[in-house]
Amino acid sequence: MKIKLWILDVNYEVVGNEPEIRLWGITSEGKRAVVKVRGFKPYFYAVPKANVSIEKAIGSLKPLISQYRILSIDRVQRKYYGKPIEVIKITCQLPPTVPQLREAVLKLKTIEDVLEADIRFYMRYLIDKDIYPCAWHEIEVERESIRGLSVDEVYRAISDPKYLSEMTRIPDLKVLAFDIECYNPRGTPKPQRDPVIIISVKTDSGKEEILTADDHNDRNLIRSFIDLVNSYDPDIIIGYNNNGFDWPYLLNRCKALHMKLNISRAGGSPAQSVYGHFSIVGRANVDLYDFAKDMPEVKVKTLENVAEYLGVLKKSERVLIEGSELYKYWDNPEKRKTLYDYARDDVKSIYGLGEKILPFAIQLSSIVGLPLDQVGAASVGFRVEWYLMKQAYKLGELIPNRVERPYTPYKGAIVLKPKPGLHENIVVLDFSAMYPNIMISKNISPDTYVPPYEEVSPDEVYVAPEVGHRFRKKPPGFYKQVLGKLLQVRNEIRKIMKTLDPHSYEYRVLYERQRALKVIANATYGYCGWIGARWYKREVAEATTAWGREIIKKTINMAKSLGLEVIYGDTDSIFVRYIEDKVKKLCELIEKEFGLRVKPDKIYIKVFFTEAKKRYCGLLPDGRIDVVGLEAIRGDWSELAKEVQEKVIEIVLKEGDPYKAVKYVSDTISALRNKKIPLSKLIIWKSVTKELDKYEVKTAHVAAARRLLEAGYRLEIGDKIGYVIVKRPGEKLADKAMPYILVKDIDEIDVDYYIKKQIIPAAMRILEYFGIKESQLEGATYQKSLLEFFG
DNA sequence: GCCTTGAAGTTACCG
DNA sequence: ACCGGTAACTTCAAGGCG
């Protein structure tokens, strides 16, 4: 019989000395099913040394056959960096043997290198059989007994799955969102000691459950959670930082209680896997925090903030409890209800985030080929790489090894000096997908690169400006093929989208798909210049930016010769006065000259620059204001300073009245002096980017971080520290930086710091260019000290 | 020993 | 654990001065 299966998860087991791949998913009838695949065997390649014949190399492998259970040794024809190559394919019985066998093969004097020996077995299967997670496949199967697996149907495959690219529908997925709260009277909770007190759950069936501990005993709570998961039997489990907190906590808690967290569809517990995420066999465990990291607009990525940003739940409409205070709400019977509400709001937020994020995650998974639970956890580089690996296999290209290399810097893009001041009626012209298109049009790729010592006729190659790197015009290189496909498929999707109702379900699916394609295409240039990349080639990245610089320089000259004044430009954009016919002409010229598309992106009624690059603000026709690079959008300035700057910008751009802005600033300063500004607006957030001891300089946020540690909080690399500046003896700012959580009274605040180092700089950044002097900003109530007066 | 100054360290941004 | 280019802040140490 034939079934159609939407693939949710993949793993493998060794059964009776045979590897068995398991494809977990949902059938077109809506059944949860697993398809077992036998017969696929692990393999890798050995490349003989240049002076060794392939026969001799094969001969030298023979002694390894019995020890490592080698099944076959074959001569095969492949391509390596575009060049035909004959290599030895070594197939063995069991996946765990591969690492040892690989080492043994590498030791042979006949062998130069080993390729593709570091690809996990089930991923190898997905690559070779052209199978895509989160996509439909048709498989010829036979029914088998269910025996111990939590699914409706178990099958054995009797054909290879066939990818059904036309079938874009996503099945009805059972989603379970969860969140845990822990008892934490002594700072950060410790699983060996502190129980879980609440597990909140929300499912797509509409069920919301707040499971609670029996006072300080969480055994029954965890039991109930396990039962709930298994009885609801979700396809997808979502959480917020569940890979970083909830799963490790629950697992360690279970260990302490001698319990098993058996919630997988094969009966096991979550297990830590590649990319540090937790894998739950047969389900997809997705950590939405991984996707929140890609939302630069949200500076402090707490669940509340992300939920508010995505329009899921406003902070003003939910219960908020300071993390360190949770235990008080648990211990106090009158407050406990509030804690339940808090837990409910958290899980509602997670569920809502899931609705916003999962459609994209699903498309990303199906495009790059990583299972849904891994695709979020994998870094951008690995996402690109899996896509490339799949494509390489299709092209008969061998996958290069991951090798350690030294970091070699190279030149990047051009940034123009802006013309400072206020400009009216300015259009921003953007090259669409500049780097991918340069790579395509110049055929830039590791396999088309011609090294300096190689002689080749000049008309056969493209030569990069400045750096002189040469790339063969033909045949199409790896990057060209891969990027060409990404962009082409994206264009096809966008064409279909135009025929659809933007509110339709189909439209949403395609929208997310084209977005995922764009993300991968745009990351490919960065990938090729990443020293950790399998397909790294410095010359590839270097040539791409060199052509980019040339194009933007020529574009500027073309604009100038058309009589268009260029105000600013960065990498792939130029800002010019909007004179419609000239701009139109310029776009046509560019398209003709470079074969690249340029689109008038934004029109600013007014745009303001200081002398600094990468920082400006502008007024759009619809009245919105863009702020780029300035303090107002930076996460490491106090909300107060950001608000002041934003307001100043708004007044200046919309009303053109700097004196009104001055009044606003000095009123704000007065308000601060009069303690009318809440402490929350004075918090400065900065990330801890390394271990505290590794810092060479005594910075404010590290000093604050140390104080947090002293107070019993746990910190991890990457955490954001929120601190305020308080009145304290000490020369350095760091001496006055206090975690805001530990500051009880607004009177402790060093008001002068906030005036001189936050409000005034943020406001002056703009107002300086309107002739305003710092002294004009200070509040009416301000009395200069004698020292300052004479100083 | 004190003060100035510029380099270094650090973070977060732009495209 | 995708790139280079950039601004801005604080700390720190060197250099100049007396």
Side-chain angles (χ1 to χ4, degrees), chain A residues 488-713:
Chain A
Q488 179 213 329
V489 173
R490 176 159 185 256
N491 285 335
E492 282 165 14
I493 289 174
R494 299 217 300 175
K495 216 178 272 172
I496 301 170
M497 281 170 66
K498 286 195 179 126
T499 69
L500 297 174
D501 170 9
H503 303 291
S504 68
Y505 170 82
E506 263 182 302
Y507 187 94
R508 172 86 199 274
V509 171
L510 292 183
Y511 172 81
E512 300 295 353
R513 192 162 181 84
Q514 66 85 26
R515 187 158 77 94
L517 287 161
K518 181 181 175 177
V519 165
I520 298 299
N522 285 344
T524 303
Y525 149 73
Y527 170 85
C528 78
W530 169 43
I531 54 170
R534 289 176 191 267
W535 278 277
Y536 168 81
K537 187 89 190 149
R538 194 199 80 242
E539 291 83 352
V540 166
E542 200 170 32
T544 306
T545 56
W547 262 302
R549 291 192 297 274
E550 185 187 56
I551 288 167
I552 205 78
K553 277 185 202 158
K554 286 187 175 172
T555 300
I556 292 161
N557 288 333
M558 283 155 75
K560 281 182 183 162
S561 58
L562 279 169
L564 282 168
E565 189 191 356
V566 179
I567 274 82
Y568 178 63
D570 184 351
T571 311
D572 60 353
S573 69
I574 58 164
F575 291 51
V576 297
R577 173 131 298 119
Y578 189 40
I579 304 166
E580 218 175 317
D581 52 333
K582 288 189 182 183
V583 167
K584 200 173 152 224
K585 180 88 188 148
L586 178 63
C587 292
E588 287 167 7
L589 276 175
I590 290 166
E591 217 161 321
K592 217 169 95 194
E593 174 82 17
F594 311 119
L596 297 180
R597 296 249 326 205
V598 179
K599 58 170 197 312
D601 184 33
K602 277 179 174 168
I603 294 164
Y604 288 117
I605 292 174
K606 282 181 190 166
V607 62
F608 173 78
F609 285 93
T610 67
E611 272 160 17
K613 297 170 174 180
K614 295 186 184 279
R615 322 184 103 211
Y616 57 90
C617 51
L619 175 63
L620 294 161
D622 60 7
R624 280 183 306 132
I625 284 176
D626 261 351
V627 180
V628 179
L630 293 163
E631 286 77 4
I633 58 145
R634 288 183 65 98
D636 54 354
W637 283 73
S638 65
E639 192 55 40
L640 174 64
K642 289 161 60 164
E643 240 176 61
V644 165
Q645 190 182 61
E646 206 179 311
K647 201 78 192 193
V648 167
I649 289 170
E650 192 180 335
I651 294 170
V652 166
L653 289 181
K654 285 192 172 165
E655 303 177 47
D657 182 358
Y659 292 98
K660 191 170 169 191
V662 169
K663 168 90 170 63
Y664 169 78
V665 177
S666 71
D667 286 353
T668 307
I669 289 173
S670 303
L672 178 64
R673 289 189 180 289
N674 295 325
K675 306 191 168 94
K676 298 268 166 59
I677 306 284
L679 191 91
S680 62
K681 290 196 178 184
L682 305 180
I683 303 168
I684 296 161
W685 295 90
K686 273 198 169 85
S687 305
V688 171
T689 61
K690 51 189 168 189
E691 278 173 47
L692 297 191
D693 295 337
K694 299 250 166 73
Y695 280 88
E696 295 178 45
V697 177
K698 196 178 175 193
T699 65
H701 74 301
V702 171
R706 289 189 194 282
R707 292 186 165 122
L708 272 181
L709 285 181
E710 275 168 38
Y713 291 83

Side-chain angles (χ1 to χ4, degrees), chain A residues 22-49:
Chain A
R22 293 180 176 177
L23 302 171
W24 302 82
I26 297 136
T27 69
S28 47
E29 264 82 56
K31 302 288 188 199
R32 273 61 199 167
V34 60
V35 176
K36 299 175 170 180
V37 183
R38 288 281 180 105
F40 187 74
K41 295 288 156 57
Y43 69 86
F44 61 92
Y45 300 101
V47 186
K49 283 198 172 134

Side-chain angles (χ1 to χ4, degrees), chain A residues 240-288:
Chain A
Y240 195 78
N241 198 25
N242 42 343
N243 284 332
F245 182 73
D246 304 47
W247 291 125
Y249 201 95
L250 280 171
L251 285 165
N252 283 320
R253 195 67 202 138
C254 282
K255 208 176 188 180
L257 296 171
H258 306 290
M259 295 172 75
K260 287 259 183 329
L261 192 63
N262 288 341
I263 52 169
S264 90
R265 278 180 168 158
S269 67
Q272 198 155 25
S273 173
V274 277
Y275 316 121
H277 76 292
F278 283 83
S279 161
I280 301 171
V281 174
R283 314 188 196 278
N285 166 52
V286 177
D287 187 345
L288 300 170

Side-chain angles (χ1 to χ4, degrees), chain A residues 273-470:
Chain A
S273 173
V274 277
Y275 316 121
H277 76 292
F278 283 83
S279 161
I280 301 171
V281 174
R283 314 188 196 278
N285 166 52
V286 177
D287 187 345
L288 300 170
Y289 177 56
D290 287 329
F291 294 91
K293 287 181 199 148
D294 289 336
M295 300 176 188
E297 300 86 347
V298 190
K299 307 295 174 188
V300 182
K301 291 173 177 59
T302 56
L303 176 59
E304 314 82 89
N305 289 355
V306 176
E308 171 144 314
Y309 171 72
L310 291 179
V312 168
L313 185 59
K314 284 190 192 149
K315 286 211 268 187
S316 59
E317 288 169 13
R318 61 157 298 170
V319 177
L320 286 170
I321 299 176
E322 182 61 59
S324 56
E325 309 266 288
L326 285 172
Y327 73 98
K328 293 184 188 162
Y329 287 75
W330 180 255
D331 285 340
N332 181 342
E334 282 163 31
K335 287 171 125 184
R336 210 182 254 198
K337 163 92 179 38
T338 311
L339 184 58
Y340 296 162
D341 290 340
Y342 168 78
R344 185 174 292 112
D345 285 344
D346 270 1
V347 80
K348 274 160 110 174
S349 300
I350 293 170
Y351 186 83
L353 251 56
E355 291 183 299
K356 303 278 180 183
I357 291 169
L358 284 174
F360 174 72
I362 285 169
Q363 293 307 324
L364 198 62
S365 163
S366 82
I367 288 164
V368 309
L370 277 168
L372 183 57
D373 62 339
Q374 292 181 29
V375 76
S379 68
V380 176
F382 290 115
R383 291 177 196 171
V384 172
E385 192 150 275
W386 278 106
Y387 176 74
L388 297 180
M389 286 162 76
K390 284 216 128 181
Q391 298 302 312
Y393 181 84
K394 289 188 184 194
L395 297 168
E397 273 281 344
L398 291 168
I399 298 166
N401 286 328
R402 198 173 281 294
V403 289
E404 272 196 56
R405 356 175 130 79
Y407 168 69
T408 324
Y410 65 89
K411 245 172 118 179
I414 286 182
V415 188
L416 302 186
K417 272 200 182 132
K419 296 202 167 142
L422 202 53
H423 306 275
E424 291 185 9
N425 200 26
I426 300 296
V427 65
V428 184
L429 300 178
D430 266 323
F431 283 91
S432 27
M434 186 196 238
Y435 285 167
N437 280 312
I438 290 175
M439 292 173 83
I440 290 171
S441 71
K442 303 297 180 187
N443 205 24
I444 308 173
S445 192
D447 48 304
T448 54
Y449 174 67
V450 181
Y453 54 81
E454 207 172 307
E455 273 190 43
V456 59
S457 129
D459 56 333
E460 282 179 36
V461 291
Y462 296 111
V463 184
E466 290 183 58
V467 293
H469 302 320
R470 299 174 299 167

